[in-house]
Amino acid sequence: TAEVRFEDVRFAYNPDRPILRGISFAVPPGRTVAIVGPSGAGKSTLSRLLFRFYEPQGGRILVGGQDIAAVRQDSLRAAIGMVPQDTVLFNDTIGYNIRYGRWDASEAEVREAARLAQIDRFIASLPEGYDTPVGERGLKLSGGEKQRVAIARTILKAPPILVLDEATSALDSFTEAQIQDALDRVARGRTTLVIAHRLSTVVNADEILVLDHGVIVERGGHAELLAAG
Ligand code: ADP
Ligand code: ADP
């Protein structure tokens, strides 16, 4: 496990419109920090900077004490697992999709990851819309089921650092609770950054940062922030 640290990070897509205006926080090794805020606050931008899709225009980002400006993007992708809100599946079985990027994993490991993410009953199925054999119908996966495939893939990959894009608002509340449970399970013991729209989904975070218009406007534990309104 490694620490993730943002030091006075500044970023704009457009010079005249700053998106992140001096963001500082640290996720201690093995801990969970949640970034909560309204749509457009800059949450996705912040996570993209962590993967070096863009470079900060001020400040720096450190992973395990090392400035990521000097770390190759593929190394970052290997060290940081991402569970996105929308998962695009590859043209192969769910099992293949779970194994993706961990080609050395055994069948048993793939099955165990699928079981933990509660997607094991689909492991041999092909997703709908792909070139399934003639006469066979592909499996229509819901958004929540696709997200479980991504969770299983991340369980198998077991990266030291996790980014969870927890926009589960499109899911019904039963599915959301189940996904939440699976995500909590993956996050345990890993350095985790959770991106969320609502305070109610990040009860287990060690610290919550409220981001608004590119500035951290509040920070604290779940109870503290609820009390503050
Ligand atoms: P959030 O994830 O909190 O909804 P984003 O980081 O996606 O916020 O977006 C923050 C702001 O940056 C928004 O105003 C958005 O329109 C803008 N933005 C996001 N991506 C781009 C981009 N690639 N180019 C220009 N503006 C962008
Ligand atoms: P999400 O937050 O779901 O990841 P995006 O970050 O892609 O979505 O987009 C967030 C906001 O940024 C949206 O309002 C989108 O319209 C806007 N946006 C994305 N890319 C660009 C861009 N290239 N130029 C301007 N606005 C953008």
Side-chain angles (χ1 to χ4, degrees), residues 44-71:
S44 303
T45 302
L46 192 149
S47 67
R48 285 180 210 137
L49 290 175
L50 183 57
F51 286 97
R52 288 196 67 196
F53 290 136
Y54 305 107
E55 303 296 328
Q57 287 135 4
R60 53 184 197 155
I61 302 169
L62 302 135
V63 169
Q66 192 180 10
D67 189 334
I68 65 166
V71 179

Side-chain angles (χ1 to χ4, degrees), residues 189-204:
R190 302 181 196 285
T191 306
T192 305
L193 190 61
V194 180
I195 311 288
H197 293 284
R198 284 168 297 149
L199 212 47
S200 60
T201 62
V202 291
V203 180
N204 294 329

Side-chain angles (χ1 to χ4, degrees), residues 13 17 39-40 43-45 48 54 85-86 165 167 197:
Y13 294 99
R17 189 165 164 255
S39 187
K43 305 183 296 295
S44 303
T45 302
R48 285 180 210 137
Y54 305 107
Q85 57 184 96
D86 292 311
D165 195 344
H197 293 284

